[in-house]
Amino acid sequence: MRPPLLLLLFGLLPRADGRGELRAFVVAHSHMDVGWVYTVQESMHAYAANVYTSVVEELVKGKQRKFIAVEQEFFRLWWDAVATDTYKQQVHQLLQEGQLEFVIGGQVMHDEAVTLIDDQILQLTEGHGFLYETFGIRPQFSWHVDPFGASATTPTLFALAGFNAHLISRIDYDLKADMQKNKKLQFVWQGSPSLSEGQEIFTHVMDQYSYCTPSHIPFSNRSGFYWNGIAAFPDPPKDGVYPNMSLPVTDTNIHLYAQTMVANIKERAAWFRTSDVLWPWGCDKQFFNASVQYSNMDLLLDYINKHSDEFGVTVQYATVGDYFQAVYSRNLTWEIRDSQDFLPYSTEPFQAWTGFYTSRSTLKGIARKASSLLYAGESFFAQYVRKHPASSICKCGALKQLQSLRWAVSEVQHHDGITGTESPKVKDMYMNNLMYGMFNVKKLMASIIFDMNNAKKNGEVYSSVYVKDSGIPGATDVDHYVVVYNPLAWNITTFVAVSVSHLAMSVYDELGHPVPAQVQISAESHSTYDLYILVAISGLSYRKYNVKPLNGKQSAFIGRSVKYKRKDITRADQQSRQLLPVVNNCYQVLFDQNTNLMHSITERETNQTVQLTQEFLEYHVNGDVMKGPISDNYLFAPNASAVPVSKAVGLEVVSGNLMTEIRQYFYSNVTSQDYIYAVYTRMYTVPEGYDGKLLCHRIEQEYSVGPLELNREAVLRTSTNLNTRQLLYTDSNGYQIQKRPFKAYVNNTVARNYYPMVQTAYIEDDTTRLMLLAERAHGVSSQGNGQVEVMLHRRLWNNLQWDLNYSLTLNDSSVVRPVIWLILGTKAVTNILYRTSGLALEHRPVVMFGALSGDKPKPPRRLQQNSAHGSPVTVPPNLHLQTLSIPGWRYSSNHAEQVHSIRMGKRKQGDADFSRVLLRIRHLYEVGEDPVLSQPVMVNLKSLLKGLGSVMVVEERSLTGTWDVNTLKRWKWKTAQYPSKGLSNSTEASENCIVTVHPKEIRTFFVYFQGQ
């Protein structure tokens, strides 16, 4: 509710065109990493709880004092477990007075390079829901001061969430110096080419001092402006004396302090266009003793203001909102930046922060698996609640199970979480929280299946999410069911893999009809078999398959294995090349029998052949700081070009009627016993009567990499004869594509040409494109014409004291098993396939196992598909149902009502609200990308959701749900393109539940059904 008040205040200020006396906005803040070196619990104990307790106490003592609060995870832990009723009341008061401001408002300050858009939105929504429900406030400014590089997706998300300005800091050192010199650190950013000015946002890049107060002061050997010193772990010191406390402000040094501060303000002012100077006061883990902080700064600010004529500067405590409001009211015309991002990020010539794109690959994989399971669990639960109002499952308990995973997935998006840049104990914290949340959601999904099938209580439904190792036990007197849920709002035809203990198996659907399946010996263990079941499932629906050990005529196809002799690739005979073909309806892949390596792929529809080989290489890196640049969790600093790792390759081909699996094992020499690298390549043949378009057009690869030797970084390089001019394309957070031309640098060219691949990367020539789709983030690069290489794993150790002190060396001895799908074809064909395929990889079906012993199943009562959920939920192929969930928030969607009930202390306690369904729909294509798929789409929400009941009311909301879009008026900043300043309202109203979704839009709705 604050902007009108601010506008009045600023109306009284002189409206100089930017220059004149300098005004410094002193923004008190504490940068609180949600995990990094210390766990969340350790941080809460050592300093984080004290930050909020002491800041609230101090703000109440001085009306002029202000503070910004950022990460909601810490604030919520304080609010729920530490804050007394008095503190809570004071927080409400401070927010109303504008002394305390929440910025960003997400659970964490998310990483921008390796996170998926869905998870960025989740963590933002999670924090915003709490803030709006508790305080009726909606953050309007960002403070992305620490992520390592800036993505172009983030400004779009913040615009969609209703923000008025965005703030970033870490961009390439040479670029920042240039922008600083030319006063170009502020601009209007149009992060999305398709949404362009509709979702543009004013963006401020912090100057070279970034978010910390300049610590050097000429008159003392201690840091300056950090009067509370540095946080101490594990326990706060009993006597309150912390290391490195700045000299207290006294009559004798106040002038020196003032000179130092004013000099810094003036230095910074020269880099910006207006006379408003943002002066961040704080750093990592600050303000745990806010009393000593404010009592010293009060004296200093008063002194400077009393002598403002002499200094030419006035100073004031401020929030980020105060600063941006001042800049906005200057009414200047700003330059527009297009959708180019600020990645990768380097801090010095040999410090390219491109290693973290791959660091801790296992954590990156689990984080995405958890996100995908949460996505499935949310829609599964939402449908269940809608259709089974009188269910036997406790809805509040179920919501708690979902919330535990929402919290864990949000937490790991922190910029020292999924990035892999944390200490081992913090990595364990993230993993444990993710595993606990996943266990809860699997349990919830299993109990829902149980309830809906009215199983006898001795039947078990135990759940495993597309993991082969927890398959069907060997007992033969029990009927086993495989329950498969498709979490996507499209009809999906795919294979699910289940471990079984017999080779002779049969699979039947709900009506007792046989289902195509193939069983073969597992690559991992010679005592188990992999059963691949062909499933065809409608959108947001599940099916039950009966798996029986049986030697009947209807048993599954058996995959037959042929092992080829290990080949010495260093001495391969180039003359007499023998090629082994593997063929399905879409591709012919040839393997060279002299080397056992892939040779070429032919796309059968166009008969286009691309020469294509794959090999594993390793970059050797230095771990000794005395000998040169090092690689660590963050940085990638290769000594030289990558070195091939294997001299010999073994080959096994397992072929059956539905699938062929090519297993390649890479050995360091011809006689080695063990391999460190393996590739399992799968190609599918889909029988008549099934829609096999997506299945047929992908070549699935699963890799096994590790354990690596120390100071090695492992890449898979795919080399083709496509003339790509070394141009690479990578996705930005799974939302849009960035063009990545190869750039030559004086130093460190290899590492500075690495980019994050969150979901997609591709290379192409004039006619043909090779796409790679991933289920976790990797670093990716094109180091040669026609090449694309993906970094799969890193294992590092160095002797940099800072890294050692914080346990930040990456001695990761694990084996990683990432999956990448390859798609090859014309640009037109790959355009149609890759969006749906990428999401099909991200959201593979959830597989649960159930044993119903004793009674044989009765003849099915109308047990068709979707018996669980009535009619399926399906959207056209260019749309994605991004969210269908029951958030449980208790707030009113009417803002005036919500604020009133909070002020009156009537905020509803008690049960969550199960009547409000959160729906998001995203358009997957850019304007002009495809003649058909780039068109706007009309969606009738009533008919889309008819399976969930009769839609009564639809409200369109901002991205995180806290604004009614009709009342959301964002600041419109003046640009040469749009010379008038004002407020922008960028949505078209949805008439009677019919909405038109335009390219790249993400539309968010609250949906209410009849009978609630």
Side-chain angles (χ1 to χ4, degrees), residues 748-876:
N748 219 15
T749 292
V750 170
R752 287 186 83 172
N753 279 285
Y754 255 80
Y755 294 92
M757 162 195 192
V758 177
Q759 210 169 39
T760 312
Y762 62 87
I763 54 174
E764 62 185 20
D765 65 9
D766 298 337
T767 57
T768 308
R769 182 183 285 170
L770 172 68
M771 310 227 42
L772 282 65
L773 301 173
E775 38 71 86
R776 69 186 73 177
H778 300 280
V780 62
S781 186
S782 178
Q783 296 284 338
N785 191 22
Q787 281 183 2
V788 57
E789 64 181 54
V790 180
M791 191 180 287
L792 298 175
H793 201 10
R794 328 175 66 215
R795 184 180 182 186
L796 309 168
W797 189 87
N798 68 69
N799 58 6
L800 178 66
Q801 206 48 52
W802 186 84
D803 278 341
L804 295 176
N805 291 350
Y806 288 133
S807 207
L808 288 176
T809 54
L810 192 67
N811 192 354
D812 181 349
S813 58
S814 63
V815 176
V816 298
R817 306 190 150 280
V819 171
I820 288 181
W821 291 358
L822 307 180
I823 300 178
L824 181 75
T826 60
K827 292 180 191 183
V829 168
T830 54
N831 244 347
I832 293 168
L833 293 170
Y834 87 91
R835 306 258 179 205
T836 32
S837 297
L839 284 158
L841 173 56
E842 191 64 42
H843 299 297
R844 287 168 285 187
V846 177
V847 178
M848 291 165 277
F849 301 113
L852 302 176
S853 50
D855 303 350
K856 285 287 164 272
K858 297 184 181 61
R861 298 186 314 255
R862 50 164 205 90
L863 192 72
Q864 251 54 42
Q865 175 175 348
N866 318 320
S867 58
H869 290 333
S871 59
V873 179
T874 49
V875 296

Side-chain angles (χ1 to χ4, degrees), residues 37 207 221 420 732 735 781 811 825 942:
V37 176
D207 59 47
N221 57 2
S732 173
Y735 178 63
S781 186
N811 192 354
K942 272 192 167 162

